[in-house]
Amino acid sequence: MTVPARRSLAPAGTALAVAALALSGCTSSHQAAPSTPTSSSSAPATCSTVTAPGLSGAGLPFGTAAPTGPSSALQVSAGQPVVSSLPSGRDGYRLVEVPVTASVRTNGTFAIDQSQFVLVGPDNRSCSRPSINPLSHGFIAITVDESRSGAGSVAFLVPASISTTRLSVRYLPAVGARSASLAWLAGATAPKPVEPVNGCDGGKSSYTTTGVRGVAFGTQVKHGDSVVSSTVSAATPTRRAFSPGPSQPNDVDAIDVKLHVSASGADAFVDRRSFVLVDGSGRLCRRAALSSEGETLTSALVKAGRSADYTLVFWAPKGGTITGLRLLQLTKPGGTVVQSDWYDAALKLRPIAG
């Protein structure tokens, strides 16, 4: 079944008891025994006597990837069933293979069992699988995470009298589930493409900058007096692609903001939780609870007479344009009162090509 592993930022679950085979080259050395050629007229008329699991989800064209699971963190697809050149080992049946793929949309490690894919005949009966999958890309389970997608093939035994064009594939959310969450079949309508989110996708900002003088990015802002003070400047935010990993979801890019902090008269404390980023529509830009790839500030003490540079990292939904950004520095970590405001209302961070 689809099982998320326990890990920070990933859905919790229980690992499969079966060991996953690597899909890039794990093949079975066992092949089905040759079968005696049988005409389609004398072949069985149905895959089996077992009624296929019901369908509670959508029907999709073959090859369409779709999200699944409570959090939609995982996406899977099944391709058009095709007859394999390998013998079925069972008189009157052909070996049919179904190519499948799996990848992680956000965060997590998942194992997808081959038995979660069910091949269904035109009479709504399930097609059985051979005891050993002889296909070169056969697998027991696919394991995927943020940096590793998976692909393989599931083998089925189909009567020679049934055309592969009359077959459909269903995906079970768990091994043995009575109802499928997805199905792929001929003639299904392709889903409408998901429109990209323009802007940040956090909650609406409740911070107010009333009484705080806004300045352009790059401007130094000083707090304190002539004896003890700290000076902070924030560079114009830039956008970059993340490397896949557990520190951030797969469906976001990074927004980097460079900070320069100097201290005079006494050490200056600087904390990541003292900074929030807001887009032009007033929505907060999300960030990692701990730290994203490329972030260099958690909390630090800048020694008096010294300065230091840090990078803050926020998240931008992939595919969307972020317009107008302002970085707010709060009076204390996790506070509600703003003491510094850098902004550029005309700034546009466009999607990353490719």
Side-chain angles (χ1 to χ4, degrees), residues 34-248:
S35 60
T36 304
T38 304
S39 66
S40 60
S41 60
S42 61
T46 184
C47 272
S48 71
T49 59
V50 179
T51 302
L55 176 62
S56 60
L60 303 164
F62 286 112
T64 303
T68 184
S71 64
S72 297
L74 176 71
Q75 67 178 13
V76 296
S77 74
Q80 174 75 53
V82 295
V83 177
S84 171
S85 60
L86 296 175
S88 70
R90 186 172 175 182
D91 190 35
Y93 289 80
R94 298 180 296 181
L95 193 69
V96 170
E97 67 175 287
V98 175
V100 302
T101 66
S103 60
V104 173
R105 296 176 61 250
T106 53
N107 285 97
T109 299
F110 299 87
I112 301 91
D113 192 280
Q114 64 171 341
S115 62
Q116 289 178 256
F117 293 91
V118 179
L119 189 63
V120 183
D123 56 357
N124 199 41
R125 305 289 182 178
S126 297
C127 300
S128 60
R129 296 188 309 276
S131 57
I132 295 176
N133 186 342
L135 300 173
S136 60
H137 294 290
F139 64 93
I140 296 175
I142 298 174
T143 300
V144 295
D145 57 28
E146 299 91 350
S147 58
R148 175 180 51 175
S149 59
S153 295
V154 184
F156 295 92
L157 297 170
V158 179
S161 60
I162 299 178
S163 169
T164 55
T165 61
R166 303 178 67 196
L167 300 171
S168 62
V169 181
R170 295 179 187 176
Y171 175 80
L172 305 180
V175 175
R178 296 182 179 181
S179 182
S181 57
L182 297 169
W184 295 267
L185 60 156
T189 302
K192 293 181 179 180
V194 178
E195 294 295 326
V197 176
N198 287 316
C200 290
D201 57 352
K204 198 72 175 177
S205 172
S206 59
Y207 298 100
T208 176
T209 56
T210 303
V212 179
R213 185 174 71 91
V215 298
F217 283 109
T219 304
Q220 290 187 340
V221 178
K222 183 178 179 179
H223 296 285
D225 52 35
S226 58
V227 178
V228 176
S229 65
S230 64
T231 302
V232 181
S233 65
T236 301
T238 58
R239 186 171 187 163
R240 65 178 169 87
F242 278 121
S243 299
S247 298
Q248 60 278 324

Side-chain angles (χ1 to χ4, degrees), residues 238-266:
T238 58
R239 186 171 187 163
R240 65 178 169 87
F242 278 121
S243 299
S247 298
Q248 60 278 324
N250 266 354
D251 59 353
V252 297
D253 295 324
I255 302 177
D256 291 341
V257 182
K258 306 288 187 181
L259 293 182
H260 182 77
V261 183
S262 59
S264 178

Side-chain angles (χ1 to χ4, degrees), residues 270-330:
V270 58
D271 190 282
R272 174 66 181 85
R273 296 172 298 155
S274 295
F275 297 90
V276 295
L277 190 66
V278 184
D279 70 8
S281 66
R283 296 193 70 88
L284 294 166
C285 301
R286 292 186 297 137
R287 65 179 183 88
L290 298 176
S291 180
S292 295
E293 173 198 76
E295 190 155 67
T296 60
L297 177 63
T298 50
S299 62
L301 203 61
V302 180
K303 293 296 184 180
R306 303 284 186 89
S307 61
D309 296 297
Y310 305 99
T311 300
L312 307 177
V313 179
F314 299 89
W315 295 345
K318 279 185 177 178
T321 298
I322 311 295
T323 302
L325 284 172
R326 63 192 326 127
L327 181 74
L328 307 179
Q329 181 183 8
L330 310 177

